[in-house]
Amino acid sequence: MGNLLKVLTREIENYPSFFLDFENAQATEGEREVWNQVNAVLQDSESILTGLQAYKGAGQEIRDAIQNPNDMTLQERAWNSVCPLVIKLKKFYSFSLRLEEALRSLLTSLTCPPLTPTQHLEREQALAKQFAEILHFTLRFDELKMRIPAIQNDFSYYRRTISRNRINNMNLDIENEVNNEMANRMSLFYAEATPMLKTLSTATTNFVSENKTLPLENTTDCLSTMASVCKVMLETPEYSSRFNSEDTLLFCMRVMVGVIILYDHVHPNGAFNKSSKIDMKGCIKVLKDQPADTVEGLLNALKFTTKHLNDESTPKNIRTMLQFKGLNLSPFLLNGSVRPITEQDTV
């Protein structure tokens, strides 16, 4: 076990850094119950991403229906195109609820006393790997979602049509699948630029507030330690060379960014403060040392989905490091949130 996870003596002693085998960690008998529970969720993650990637939307059918309100053939065509998409959107949303429960189970296991976060990582590496896989999936999902404005357009059309038909006392079978309450919750979910990340951030914050007897540091130290794990693996050839696949490098980058964002939402002072246990300068440098097209979305996530970046306590050099060229991102900020990327935003 000690060969898989070893303490590295780094230049910043206050930031413990570890090597964790994300590729080969296997569940021990003590981890098995939670691992099985989380694995039942994670085994569906690739099909969710495949479904999202294949999402084409019903934009043309909706435009035709709106421009020709008296043409019932076009109205029916648009409705029949949107309904299967709404069922698919419900599947994505339902998966977010399952992912939330999986995250809570992992946080419970990885933060419970008397073990420290370091000890948990050493003894429960398979659970730490699953935690990393949840974050990896989350950022992949949100990166895809931000590039599909059709999702919100389709769902808005669905809700408008449902409301209009309700007024006309029409009974629609799809309401058995997506009733008004479900539609309201889905609407809030898809209104977020990064809905999966928002789900995890809220779940982590709620986990801390609901477990009042658990010290906050148990959770934040778990997150900061994971950030250090990934940073060291990325910046140290001795360790990154152990990976069997180059995909593991991107995996580590996504996980590092994910835990930073969660830490920033949970810790009262955030991740960018000088007192933070995360070496933000080092983490950002690791990202910016990679090809720009590989890390653009991750830098966007740090810049626009964190909570404390614009606090006065954030060092100026950290803010400067997150200024970069690429997508024209300034228009995405709408009332403090981010809107989806469209083709017109690329430069």
Side-chain angles (χ1 to χ4, degrees), residues 283-329:
C283 290
I284 296 171
K285 183 180 183 302
V286 163
L287 292 176
K288 299 195 79 171
D289 284 344
Q290 309 300 320
D293 59 343
T294 301
V295 299
E296 186 175 66
L298 299 177
L299 290 169
N300 292 352
L302 285 179
K303 191 172 182 181
F304 292 110
T305 65
T306 47
K307 184 178 179 181
H308 294 278
L309 175 61
N310 293 319
D311 288 0
E312 291 183 3
S313 59
T314 298
K316 185 178 179 179
N317 66 323
I318 297 297
R319 294 185 196 175
T320 300
M321 290 181 75
L322 284 175
Q323 300 296 327
F324 57 94
K325 296 179 180 180
L327 286 174
N328 179 18
L329 291 170

Side-chain angles (χ1 to χ4, degrees), residues 18-23 132-133 135-136 139 226-235 239-240 243 245-260 283 286-287 290 294-295 298:
F18 305 89
F19 179 83
L20 179 61
D21 190 346
F22 281 143
E23 292 182 329
E133 288 170 341
L135 292 167
H136 182 239
L139 269 73
M226 286 291 288
S228 294
V229 168
C230 297
K231 182 178 81 74
V232 170
M233 288 196 291
L234 289 165
E235 69 184 1
Y239 297 102
S240 59
F243 300 145
S245 170
E246 289 186 4
D247 291 342
T248 307
L249 292 173
L250 182 55
F251 178 93
C252 288
M253 286 186 272
R254 284 202 177 103
V255 174
M256 181 179 73
V257 169
V259 290
I260 288 171
C283 290
V286 163
L287 292 176
Q290 309 300 320
T294 301
V295 299
L298 299 177

Side-chain angles (χ1 to χ4, degrees), residues 69-332:
N70 296 321
D71 189 326
M72 297 312 297
T73 299
L74 293 178
Q75 304 304 311
E76 185 176 347
R77 182 182 300 165
W79 181 248
N80 289 337
S81 298
V82 165
C83 284
L85 295 174
V86 170
I87 299 301
K88 182 177 287 190
L89 293 177
K90 179 190 175 184
K91 179 181 179 182
F92 299 158
Y93 169 71
S94 298
F95 185 78
S96 77
L97 302 181
R98 296 173 60 202
L99 203 68
E100 179 180 355
E101 286 303 310
L103 178 71
R104 293 174 67 89
S105 296
L106 289 173
L107 285 173
T108 299
S109 295
L110 294 172
T111 63
C112 63
L115 298 184
T116 66
T118 298
Q119 292 169 328
H120 276 297
L121 285 173
E122 185 173 10
R123 302 180 189 187
E124 299 162 16
Q125 290 188 37
L127 298 187
K129 179 174 180 286
Q130 286 184 319
F131 185 23
E133 288 170 341
I134 286 177
L135 292 167
H136 182 239
F137 163 83
T138 295
L139 269 73
R140 290 172 69 196
F141 182 96
D142 287 345
E143 286 169 8
L144 287 172
K145 187 267 181 185
M146 284 192 70
R147 287 164 170 78
I148 311 177
I151 288 177
Q152 284 176 270
N153 296 336
D154 293 345
F155 200 68
S156 294
Y157 177 81
Y158 168 77
R159 299 204 72 188
R160 289 197 306 271
T161 305
I162 282 285
S163 297
R164 185 168 63 247
N165 290 335
R166 226 183 254 124
I167 293 173
N168 296 331
N169 294 318
M170 291 180 63
N171 183 23
L172 301 172
D173 291 339
I174 193 171
E175 286 200 274
N176 296 327
E177 288 277 351
V178 182
N179 59 28
N180 192 50
E181 180 184 355
M182 173 62 74
N184 287 337
R185 285 186 276 139
M186 288 172 61
S187 182
L188 291 173
F189 178 76
Y190 288 111
E192 297 288 341
T194 53
M196 286 292 177
L197 195 53
K198 174 67 174 177
T199 296
L200 296 195
S201 296
T202 301
T204 306
T205 301
N206 290 343
F207 173 81
V208 170
S209 62
E210 291 167 9
N211 291 273
K212 300 186 185 302
T213 60
L214 184 71
L216 172 65
E217 291 74 19
N218 286 39
T219 303
T220 55
D221 284 357
C222 175
L223 299 174
S224 62
T225 301
M226 286 291 288
S228 294
V229 168
C230 297
K231 182 178 81 74
V232 170
M233 288 196 291
L234 289 165
E235 69 184 1
T236 310
E238 176 187 352
Y239 297 102
S240 59
S241 63
R242 296 185 188 181
F243 300 145
N244 296 319
S245 170
E246 289 186 4
D247 291 342
T248 307
L249 292 173
L250 182 55
F251 178 93
C252 288
M253 286 186 272
R254 284 202 177 103
V255 174
M256 181 179 73
V257 169
V259 290
I260 288 171
I261 293 169
L262 293 186
Y263 183 100
D264 193 59
H265 280 263
V266 172
H267 197 285
N269 298 325
F272 301 96
N273 191 284
K274 288 183 178 180
S275 64
S276 169
K277 290 188 176 181
I278 296 177
D279 175 15
M280 284 305 306
K281 182 178 179 181
C283 290
I284 296 171
K285 183 180 183 302
V286 163
L287 292 176
K288 299 195 79 171
D289 284 344
Q290 309 300 320
D293 59 343
T294 301
V295 299
E296 186 175 66
L298 299 177
L299 290 169
N300 292 352
L302 285 179
K303 191 172 182 181
F304 292 110
T305 65
T306 47
K307 184 178 179 181
H308 294 278
L309 175 61
N310 293 319
D311 288 0
E312 291 183 3
S313 59
T314 298
K316 185 178 179 179
N317 66 323
I318 297 297
R319 294 185 196 175
T320 300
M321 290 181 75
L322 284 175
Q323 300 296 327
F324 57 94
K325 296 179 180 180
L327 286 174
N328 179 18
L329 291 170
S330 57
F332 297 172

